[in-house]
Amino acid sequence: MVDATSRLQQEAQQTPSYGGRGVRDITEDFTSASSQLQSGQLVKDEFFTLFEAVGALEIMDPKMDSGYVAPGDTFDADFDPASGLDMTEILWIMDQLLCLEISWHDGYPLSQTVFTSLHIDRLLSPDQENRDPTFYRLGRPPSDLSENQSLGHQILRSYCIGLVKCCNLALLLIQSQNYYEEEDFVTHLFGRELLPQVKADQASRILEEAQNRLVEASSISQDVRDALDDRLQFRSKYLSTLVEDGGTCWEDMKSTIDSIKNSHNLATPVPDAFSEKVQRQLATSTPPRPMLQGEPCALARAVLQDLLFNNRGVRGEISHYDLLLTDIRDLVLAGDPLTDPASFQVEVTSDPRHICSRLIEGFMDKAIDEYLNLYRMVCQNRCRIRRTFTQAIPILDALEAEAQRVDAELSSVATSLRIKEKKPGRIITLDPLTSWTKFHKLRIMTWAVQLGFETEIYLPDELGKMYWFLMQLSRQRSQLIGDIDEFTNQRKQHTQDKHTATECISAIQWYQSLYDYTTITTLLSLALWKLYTLLTHTNIITSPKRDFAKSQLLYEARMKPFLSVVNASVPSHQDFDDAGLQTDSVETTCKDIDGSLKAGKTLLAGLKKLTPGQGRYVGTEDEWKKEIKQLETTCVAIAVATSQLLRASGKYGQDELGGVMECSPEKKYHDWWVVPMLKEKTTTTK
């Protein structure tokens, strides 16, 4: 057999030049040769690489070949961005650009969003390099355009420049914070640059010039002129916000957004001004993809991180240590002199205040990084939040052991941590740092489980046991909050200082809201645990066949993030299995569930009456109301499911429920509470 190398060299010498090559149909030869191969046999030439193989598969395939042009189509877009446009058409293009910009913030690449604009493409094209970067040539004599069309070009050009600079600044901000490439955001620019030579103030002046000229354009109707001005104002405000990190500017933009929405009906669509064909000119090997739209996420989280962590403080005003000390004081040491800032200024080494403040400072030095991570973690996407929560659990558990050591030293020095009740005469003690650490650890554990429901990682037959575990965690949190509340109540009763009493009263109101909310979590978990266990027991929900999924392995898979915890009660494998057992009848179980729901509704009614100051939800009032409403709707949905189950049990009998009822546990009125949807099976008779 001729050596492959020699053969290829010989063939290369015999191959005619490109211009002299002919075309021969090899389909018949190829079919004949391939028919001689055995099933599964692979013939590979060592000079035919994987890259060449993939490249060969891409040729003329519209899904794989980035250069493929369908018959009757053109390689480039037909629309000329230099053509004259009506003002209403410019309105539509500006609105479409804003939608695509938002889609980019939602995680879609620029190639599928902003870069599909032919005006943006003309502005950023490589041939702009040696020309004024703030101007793209019209491609025709200016005399061919009317006065309004010329003004329209200036307005649209200034808007495009402002948009590109906003994308540039947003990209820099996101890249300066914690984010996950491809999960949250796509930073790839596909060989383009976002006008780096144009400064933000220069872009602002260009927008201002367009606004000034628009004001003088009397030939444009007032409603269209106002609509264009709103969009230029929004772009200018957005640009200023990204430059100045101004929190108030975000509020100012809301009213402008409302005006833009209300005037969108004036716009005339120009879909040809956008084309995925632009992607053929970008530095990417992928073929053109459809243009997409979405909602912003990564930028909002980056802005929040910037406010929290820039300049080593919250907005550069409150140091992170002050934030941590305030959190400890509010949660476990309300009204206690241990967290009084004046105590940290005492320099007499024998003074108990000096000793205690040094102990607390030492603990804070060890806790500060993980405490700040609590804020960083919630600035990620939901799947990433759960993952980082599970990683933080053992760290917080180890920190709790350190807190126990420091509390032991504090209790030997600080008399304020021991209070004698007036009537029974017993002494109540508090381990503040241990309680503070345990509170955050239990909350992270609770959220990790709840995010599992939100991200749908549990199978239907696992929901009951996981809600049972959530109930156990919530009960531990309720017990902890109750202990802190009891101690603070005793401090309020014993103090003669008005300021201390006021601080204790405010903390107690907050503790009550925390306790009630945690109790609601316990009650809903109890209700859904009993309901799902009953559905499993009656075979309405069945476990899938899994030959290798042993009970012990399933337990370890679900409880893996929590098994290393030492300073908290984590259920054993036996306890976890026992939670899936059902002994009560349908009637008894449904009655218990209804009792839990009634208690939960009563607590929700109480939470609705709390003021933002009492519940500590100042600034998030809308989200608080939304949360309460979703929980109320969840209670109603569970009650509906139990009533359906009771009716079916009375009609067919408990033992027949699995044959006549079916369940689709996919309805969520709240992301963390999966309510089973029950209905009778549809039967057909011949």
Side-chain angles (χ1 to χ4, degrees):
M1 183 177 181
V2 181
D3 181 78
T5 304
S6 302
R7 175 174 56 82
L8 288 174
Q9 292 175 347
Q10 183 179 3
E11 290 178 354
Q13 294 172 356
Q14 296 174 354
T15 301
S17 63
Y18 178 77
R21 288 183 179 180
V23 178
R24 183 169 67 91
D25 188 346
I26 64 169
T27 304
E28 184 177 346
D29 295 338
F30 183 82
T31 303
S32 175
S34 61
S35 64
Q36 301 176 30
L37 298 176
Q38 299 295 325
S39 177
Q41 184 180 359
L42 175 65
V43 177
K44 180 181 180 301
D45 192 302
E46 60 181 294
F47 290 93
F48 192 69
T49 65
L50 177 62
F51 178 82
E52 292 168 325
V54 174
L57 293 173
E58 290 179 350
I59 294 175
M60 304 306 291
D61 183 349
K63 294 183 179 181
M64 300 293 290
D65 186 357
S66 60
Y68 173 76
V69 179
D73 199 359
T74 58
F75 186 82
D76 295 316
D78 296 328
F79 181 83
D80 182 9
S83 60
L85 295 170
D86 187 76
M87 289 297 180
T88 58
E89 294 177 322
I90 292 175
L91 272 179
W92 187 87
I93 293 174
M94 294 166 81
D95 288 351
Q96 184 68 6
L97 281 170
L98 179 59
C99 291
L100 294 174
E101 181 183 11
I102 298 302
S103 301
W104 175 57
H105 285 305
D106 193 39
Y108 296 108
L110 283 168
S111 61
Q112 293 177 259
T113 54
V114 175
F115 285 178
T116 60
S117 165
L118 297 178
H119 292 89
I120 295 290
D121 179 62
R122 177 69 65 87
L123 187 68
L124 302 181
S125 62
D127 62 359
Q128 284 280 132
E129 184 176 355
N130 297 321
R131 295 185 284 107
D132 182 356
T134 65
F135 183 82
Y136 52 77
R137 63 175 179 267
L138 295 175
R140 62 181 65 208
S143 57
D144 289 357
L145 300 177
S146 66
E147 179 67 21
N148 279 357
Q149 289 175 338
S150 176
L151 173 59
H153 267 286
Q154 182 178 354
I155 292 172
L156 185 54
R157 185 176 68 247
S158 66
Y159 188 85
C160 289
I161 292 170
L163 183 145
V164 171
K165 287 312 300 180
C166 286
C167 290
N168 184 32
L169 293 171
L171 179 62
L172 294 175
L173 177 60
I174 292 171
Q175 289 178 320
S176 69
Q177 304 299 332
N178 288 347
Y179 77 101
Y180 294 89
E181 180 75 25
E182 302 297 340
E183 273 187 37
D184 298 322
F185 196 68
V186 180
T187 62
H188 191 32
L189 298 180
F190 304 95
R192 295 288 193 261
E193 291 186 325
L194 301 179
L195 300 180
Q197 64 273 58
V198 179
K199 304 301 181 184
D201 58 346
Q202 186 180 1
S204 296
R205 285 196 301 271
I206 293 171
L207 286 165
E208 185 179 355
E209 290 171 2
Q211 285 181 275
N212 293 337
R213 188 178 173 191
L214 177 63
V215 171
E216 301 172 355
S218 57
S219 59
I220 305 174
S221 63
Q222 187 63 45
D223 53 352
V224 174
R225 196 190 319 171
D226 291 341
L228 290 168
D229 187 63
D230 287 336
R231 285 151 179 79
L232 291 174
Q233 279 191 39
F234 169 80
R235 185 55 56 186
S236 182
K237 289 179 180 178
Y238 185 26
L239 183 60
S240 299
T241 301
L242 292 173
V243 172
E244 301 170 5
D245 297 328
T248 57
C249 296
W250 294 107
E251 293 292 332
D252 295 340
M253 286 191 292
K254 287 184 179 179
S255 59
T256 311
I257 283 289
D258 292 337
S259 299
I260 291 174
K261 290 179 180 178
N262 295 333
S263 60
H264 180 68
N265 61 317
L266 300 173
T268 301
V270 194
D272 290 341
F274 298 83
S275 174
E276 57 266 18
K277 292 180 180 179
V278 173
Q279 299 173 39
R280 295 190 175 117
Q281 312 298 330
L282 303 178
T284 175
S285 59
T286 59
R289 299 288 188 238
M291 295 180 290
L292 301 170
Q293 297 181 12
E295 297 179 356
C297 291
L299 178 61
R301 298 198 297 263
V303 170
L304 179 57
Q305 290 184 73
D306 187 60
L307 292 173
L308 289 172
F309 304 113
N310 195 21
N311 297 323
R312 297 183 178 273
V314 181
R315 297 194 57 135
E317 300 171 0
I318 303 173
S319 72
H320 291 146
Y321 273 91
D322 287 341
L323 181 66
L324 173 55
L325 185 62
T326 301
D327 191 69
I328 294 174
R329 180 176 64 247
D330 289 349
L331 188 58
V332 293
L333 287 173
D336 196 298
L338 283 176
T339 53
D340 186 348
S343 299
F344 290 80
Q345 305 302 320
V346 177
E347 298 182 359
V348 180
T349 57
S350 59
D351 192 311
R353 292 175 297 175
H354 174 84
I355 298 173
C356 292
S357 62
R358 296 295 84 79
L359 288 170
I360 293 175
E361 280 184 346
F363 173 78
M364 290 173 60
D365 287 338
K366 296 179 180 179
I368 186 67
D369 288 340
E370 197 57 33
Y371 175 71
L372 294 178
N373 277 339
L374 297 178
Y375 294 94
R376 288 193 180 95
M377 288 187 290
V378 297
C379 291
Q380 308 306 321
N381 62 68
R382 307 301 279 181
C383 294
R384 182 65 64 171
I385 289 175
R386 183 185 177 276
R387 194 176 309 168
T388 53
F389 277 175
T390 59
Q391 294 167 355
I393 290 170
I395 299 175
L396 289 171
D397 192 56
L399 183 62
E400 186 178 344
E402 173 63 18
Q404 292 172 354
R405 184 191 66 79
V406 177
D407 278 336
E409 296 187 45
L410 279 175
S411 62
S412 65
V413 180
T415 58
S416 62
L417 300 180
R418 299 186 301 275
I419 298 177
K420 185 175 182 180
E421 283 187 309
K422 292 182 178 180
K423 291 184 179 180
R426 68 187 179 99
I427 296 177
I428 302 177
T429 61
L430 177 69
D431 295 327
L433 301 181
T434 302
S435 300
W436 178 84
T437 310
K438 183 182 287 291
F439 175 87
H440 285 292
K441 182 185 71 174
L442 288 174
R443 184 167 64 172
I444 290 296
M445 293 173 69
T446 301
W447 283 346
V449 175
Q450 290 174 315
L451 283 168
F453 295 111
E454 179 177 340
T455 53
E456 300 179 350
I457 67 172
Y458 309 131
L459 294 175
D461 63 307
E462 297 178 304
L463 293 173
K465 292 181 180 180
M466 294 310 298
Y467 275 121
W468 173 82
F469 179 46
L470 179 60
M471 179 186 67
Q472 303 300 320
L473 292 175
S474 298
R475 284 177 172 172
Q476 293 182 56
R477 286 189 67 204
S478 296
Q479 180 64 46
L480 176 63
I481 296 170
D483 292 342
I484 298 171
D485 179 68
E486 180 185 14
F487 188 87
T488 308
N489 263 297
Q490 290 297 322
R491 175 178 288 135
K492 178 179 71 70
Q493 294 176 19
H494 283 74
T495 187
Q496 301 297 322
D497 182 72
K498 185 177 294 186
H499 175 74
T500 299
T502 302
E503 193 171 333
C504 288
I505 292 172
S506 175
I508 290 168
Q509 291 174 336
W510 181 41
Y511 298 156
Q512 188 61 51
S513 69
L514 288 174
Y515 186 86
D516 289 348
Y517 187 89
T518 305
T519 304
I520 291 168
T521 302
T522 302
L523 293 170
L524 285 177
S525 301
L526 174 63
L528 287 173
W529 161 51
K530 286 182 172 292
L531 180 56
Y532 277 111
T533 304
L534 180 59
L535 295 177
T536 303
H537 181 69
T538 54
N539 293 322
I540 296 176
I541 292 179
T542 57
S543 300
K545 185 179 180 181
R546 293 170 289 194
D547 296 334
F548 299 100
K550 305 301 181 183
S551 176
Q552 177 70 30
L553 296 177
L554 291 174
Y555 165 77
E556 292 175 357
R558 290 292 171 242
M559 302 300 292
K560 182 180 179 179
F562 315 101
L563 293 178
S564 61
V565 173
V566 176
N567 299 296
S569 177
V570 177
S572 65
H573 172 222
Q574 186 61 51
D575 294 335
F576 199 70
D577 273 356
D578 290 345
L581 301 178
Q582 173 69 30
T583 57
D584 294 332
S585 64
V586 172
E587 291 76 13
T588 302
T589 303
C590 290
K591 183 178 179 181
D592 292 342
I593 293 173
D594 288 339
S596 298
L597 296 177
K598 289 178 181 178
K601 290 178 182 178
T602 301
L603 293 175
L604 284 170
L607 288 179
K608 292 171 69 174
K609 298 177 182 178
L610 289 176
T611 65
Q614 292 172 335
R616 306 281 177 97
Y617 60 91
V618 177
T620 58
E621 291 86 350
D622 292 340
E623 289 300 315
W624 174 270
K625 293 176 182 177
K626 179 182 176 182
E627 175 87 0
I628 299 300
K629 182 63 177 177
Q630 288 176 338
L631 292 175
E632 288 177 330
T633 308
T634 299
C635 290
V636 173
I638 297 174
V640 170
T642 56
S643 64
Q644 290 175 323
L645 201 58
L646 274 173
R647 275 199 309 271
S649 178
K651 182 178 180 180
Y652 301 105
Q654 178 172 330
D655 295 337
E656 302 298 327
L657 288 177
V660 298
M661 298 290 291
E662 61 182 358
C663 170
S664 56
E666 300 176 354
K667 187 65 176 179
K668 291 182 182 179
Y669 297 99
H670 187 290
D671 289 334
W672 294 347
W673 305 105
V674 186
V675 181
M677 304 295 293
L678 301 175
K679 62 180 180 180
E680 291 190 24
K681 294 180 179 179
T682 56
T683 57
T684 57
T685 57
K686 295 183 179 180

